Amino acid sequence: MLIDLFSKKVFNMAYQFSGSYQEAQDLTQDIFVKLHHTLPKYEFGKNFTAWLITLTKNYLIDEYRRTKWEKKNRDDFDDHLRVASSGTDNPEDNLLRTERQKLLWEGLNRLPADIRMAVILKEIQGKSYDETAEIVGVPIGTVKSRVNRGRLQLARILQNVKEIADEL
Amino acid sequence: MSCNHIQELLAAYTENDLSAEDKALVEGHVQSCRECASLLSLLREADEALAAFPQIDPGRELIERLIAIPIPKSRFRTFFEMFRKPSLQPVMAAATIFLAVLSLYLLNPDRKQIDKAIIRTFHRGIGQVEKLYAEAGSVTDTLGSYAENVFVSLKSINPLGRSKD
């Protein structure tokens, strides 16, 4: 039941954060083991999804601090994500967006862990600022600042690539 | 106003999260600065691309690994399982019988009669114990005079039945 409902969400968060398919699988397994052990602490009536996402975020950040993933390379975007990438009917738009997504995927690795997590939650997972602040456990102003810094850094990565392309 | 300062405001500008003064500042700047205008456009494109980021399936192998995770036993379950140990079964059976008898007594409408019978039996028992005690006292007195002779004759018995020579 829990696996059917939440494995995809947890796995995608782990994959977007770590950038490694294999690592994300192991992390998802570890998170579900932790979930089984901490389930008795869940207070009924609270938002379970938010509770689970908070648990996932805490585990990912803790593991990141312990193992320092930033030294590792992310999987190639084409390995798993290009096939799953959906788009509009226009093939040219699809291609452009996929190319941008590829750059952003690699760009996520350049963001510090806190900023990367805020961007993933707000921009990719589609959480509101309020929800993101609750999950991350910081004031809403701090979340806005982190998300904006992350977005700007990613836009600058796109800009650098565009400038290089224009020069060629 | 420097480009760096304006660029720091661009993300908040796209979310309409600036004061009227800062908003006018950004709009005035991007009209005359190609670099900042380009960055603003790319910021919006990045937002759109991130929002459409593909969500992938975790895969059958991972699902099987998740299903195989053993669910930890709760404290209550462990507590109750303790009583199911085979070694405790006679104790549990005795406790069940005791509780059954106790409930028969407590719920019996003629409980007062039972109480009286118990008290009567108890006092009769005490009387018998007193009688037995008195009899036992007289027996030890009688034995007292013979005790010394008994010990002497016991010492003279040879358990192997052989002579001292």
Side-chain angles (χ1 to χ4, degrees):
Chain A
M1 180 74 175
L2 283 175
I3 294 167
D4 293 340
L5 287 172
F6 299 106
S7 59
K8 189 172 180 179
K9 191 177 272 291
V10 171
F11 173 74
N12 275 280
M13 248 184 94
Y15 189 36
Q16 286 150 11
F17 190 76
S18 70
S20 157
Y21 192 86
Q22 188 61 49
E23 186 94 53
Q25 283 196 325
D26 293 344
L27 287 165
T28 305
Q29 187 178 0
D30 292 346
I31 289 164
F32 269 81
V33 169
K34 194 173 179 184
L35 171 67
H36 285 312
H37 283 96
T38 51
L39 209 52
K41 291 181 188 168
Y42 166 71
E43 290 171 29
F44 285 96
K46 276 194 168 183
N47 183 340
F48 184 79
T49 308
W51 182 79
L52 177 60
I53 298 294
T54 306
L55 186 133
T56 304
K57 171 244 129 195
N58 288 340
Y59 192 83
L60 293 175
I61 294 280
D62 288 349
E63 277 298 295
Y64 167 82
R65 285 180 183 146
R66 202 171 62 80
T67 58
K68 294 289 173 195
W69 288 331
E70 79 275 16
K71 289 174 188 165
K72 297 177 189 172
N73 288 324
R74 292 174 84 81
D75 284 355
D76 197 62
F77 183 83
D78 296 347
D79 287 352
H80 299 283
L81 293 161
R82 185 180 284 277
V83 183
S85 186
S86 61
T88 59
D89 293 335
N90 189 334
E92 202 176 326
D93 287 349
N94 285 346
L95 191 67
L96 266 173
R97 183 198 276 164
T98 308
E99 284 308 310
R100 267 183 231 129
Q101 284 174 337
K102 190 176 175 179
L103 293 168
L104 294 170
W105 172 252
E106 284 155 13
L108 280 172
N109 222 33
R110 297 193 207 166
L111 302 180
D114 291 345
I115 293 179
R116 193 192 311 170
M117 182 55 78
V119 169
I120 288 169
L121 288 169
K122 170 68 178 57
E123 300 299 324
I124 302 179
Q125 296 289 329
K127 303 284 175 200
S128 68
Y129 277 121
D130 284 329
E131 288 169 327
T132 308
E134 194 189 329
I135 292 165
V136 177
V138 295
I140 197 164
T142 310
V143 166
K144 279 187 179 179
S145 165
R146 285 181 189 176
V147 172
N148 285 344
R149 275 161 58 201
R151 287 170 60 215
L152 188 64
Q153 207 167 326
L154 291 173
R156 279 183 175 142
I157 289 167
L158 295 183
Q159 193 177 36
N160 289 342
V161 173
K162 194 174 175 242
E163 281 169 7
I164 292 166
D166 289 345
E167 282 172 15
L168 292 172
Chain B
M1 185 59 67
S2 72
C3 284
N4 271 347
H5 180 70
I6 293 296
Q7 287 175 7
E8 292 297 323
L9 298 174
L10 287 179
Y13 174 77
T14 58
E15 301 212 308
N16 207 15
D17 201 18
L18 287 181
S19 65
E21 192 186 346
D22 282 343
K23 193 177 170 187
L25 206 64
V26 170
E27 284 171 349
H29 182 89
V30 293
Q31 278 180 351
S32 58
C33 176
R34 279 183 63 187
E35 191 191 333
C36 289
S38 162
L39 190 62
L40 179 61
S41 167
L42 287 168
L43 197 57
R44 288 179 170 136
E45 285 175 13
D47 286 350
E48 187 254 348
L50 286 170
F53 222 82
Q55 303 287 312
I56 57 174
D57 280 325
R60 193 67 227 160
E61 185 210 326
L62 176 62
I63 297 295
E64 281 167 10
R65 279 164 63 183
L66 297 181
I67 291 168
I69 295 172
I71 296 170
K73 291 175 182 176
S74 73
R75 282 180 192 172
F76 288 113
R77 229 167 120 192
T78 318
F79 179 74
F80 283 116
E81 275 184 5
M82 189 181 80
F83 291 105
R84 291 173 63 193
K85 282 183 183 172
S87 58
L88 280 176
Q89 279 179 1
V91 179
M92 291 295 125
T96 309
I97 293 165
F98 172 74
L99 287 173
V101 172
L102 188 69
S103 63
L104 280 173
Y105 162 70
L106 291 174
L107 302 173
N108 198 314
D110 297 327
R111 202 171 131 189
K112 282 184 180 174
Q113 297 292 332
I114 296 171
D115 284 347
K116 276 181 188 172
I118 289 170
I119 291 164
R120 210 180 300 132
T121 313
F122 179 72
H123 285 294
R124 201 182 296 151
I126 287 173
Q128 279 182 349
V129 168
E130 279 175 342
K131 219 181 271 176
L132 280 169
Y133 185 74
E135 281 173 15
S138 66
V139 167
T140 48
D141 287 347
T142 317
L143 279 174
S145 56
Y146 295 109
E148 202 174 323
N149 294 334
V150 169
F151 283 128
V152 170
S153 56
L154 280 173
K155 276 178 189 171
S156 66
I157 292 172
N158 186 346
L160 295 172
R162 288 177 190 165
S163 65
K164 282 181 183 177
D165 303 328

